Amino acid sequence: MAPYKLEIETTAYCSCGYCCNWEWGIRLPGQYYLGLSPSWAPLKLRQRKSQGLTEKRLPLVSRYWTTRNLSGYPYYGLTSNGSVPAQARPPLFSGLSLSQYQKLPGRLLLFPWRLLPRHGSIAADTDFYPFGTKMFVPGYGWGEVEDRGGAIKGKTRIDLYHHSHQQALKWGRRRLPVLVILPGDHPVDRLNIPRPLKSVLHGLNWFRGLLF
């Protein structure tokens, strides 16, 4: 299937406790932990659910879901496919980087590894967009479907990962023309080159006009 554009409602999410409804907790013997909540009762004894995961992976101080059907389950801060979520980072010499010029001094002087482009994590309905689907979102950059959300249903809704709650609030909710590329349909995917090099090429948003 050829890449196509679709008007999609994009919202933002992050891994803060407010967005994801988790709290810090100290592991106790048995199926319990001591929850550390920023409330009138900062210490709460709660029951922990293992969700089939081994206790060896669970550190002494961890995070636990506090609401919804995941209440009591450890929160590992990973996407649904087990990867670490990331915010999209455009190439240094790209229109998106130049529009975010206030971040350039930090990228050049303090965090030189941030000069390398990187795709962001997208949460979508995997019935329509399976893991590995790539999207180019104006103002955000290249992203890849690595997560799914309970409230993300249908073909015209996606969530974009942001590093901080402040950045997520700044993005808010935007309806944008998104370029959608299903797994295996990107020209770069058909190149016989190493995967890291493919990741770099996927991050070069100026290639978008040359490849399609």
Side-chain angles (χ1 to χ4, degrees):
M1 183 177 180
Y4 63 93
K5 278 190 176 182
L6 182 67
E7 197 82 12
I8 295 180
E9 185 177 287
T10 66
T11 50
Y13 77 108
C14 65
S15 57
C16 74
Y18 181 80
C19 283
C20 298
N21 299 115
W22 55 261
E23 67 181 357
W24 287 104
I26 300 175
R27 179 161 49 88
L28 298 177
Q31 293 298 108
Y32 295 94
Y33 72 92
L34 189 63
L36 309 175
S37 303
S39 63
W40 64 273
L43 302 178
K44 296 181 180 180
L45 181 64
R46 299 187 185 275
Q47 187 170 6
R48 183 179 70 251
K49 300 177 183 178
S50 64
Q51 201 178 12
L53 300 174
T54 62
E55 292 295 316
K56 294 180 180 179
R57 294 182 56 191
L58 198 62
L60 177 63
V61 179
S62 187
R63 297 175 287 186
Y64 301 89
W65 293 95
T66 58
T67 60
R68 300 183 296 181
N69 61 337
L70 295 175
S71 178
Y73 286 131
Y75 174 74
Y76 289 91
L78 301 175
T79 63
S80 298
N81 71 348
S83 62
V84 178
Q87 183 173 342
R89 187 166 59 223
L92 181 61
F93 299 106
S94 65
L96 191 53
S97 280
L98 294 178
S99 67
Q100 301 171 353
Y101 62 90
Q102 67 276 9
K103 298 180 180 179
L104 292 179
R107 291 179 67 183
L108 287 168
L109 302 176
L110 302 177
F111 309 103
W113 60 88
R114 292 187 179 178
L115 298 178
L116 298 175
R118 182 185 61 193
H119 71 262
S121 299
I122 296 178
D125 188 338
T126 51
D127 288 339
F128 297 95
Y129 306 116
F131 290 141
T133 299
K134 295 177 177 62
M135 300 182 180
F136 183 83
V137 183
Y140 182 77
W142 281 107
E144 184 172 328
V145 176
E146 299 175 329
D147 210 350
R148 59 168 71 94
I152 305 299
K153 300 295 183 183
K155 203 172 184 178
T156 57
R157 283 284 312 277
I158 60 173
D159 255 7
L160 307 174
Y161 181 83
H162 288 74
H163 280 309
S164 68
H165 187 64
Q166 182 180 5
Q167 290 176 318
L169 288 177
K170 185 177 180 181
W171 181 271
R173 186 186 302 268
R174 307 181 188 183
R175 194 167 186 86
L176 299 166
V178 176
L179 178 67
V180 179
I181 308 172
L182 296 176
D185 290 340
H186 197 293
V188 172
D189 293 329
R190 295 192 286 268
L191 296 177
N192 188 21
I193 57 177
R195 183 178 176 83
L197 184 54
K198 288 184 180 181
S199 298
V200 172
L201 291 179
H202 280 305
L204 302 177
N205 58 3
W206 62 74
F207 271 55
R208 185 167 61 110
L210 299 177
L211 294 176
F212 311 111

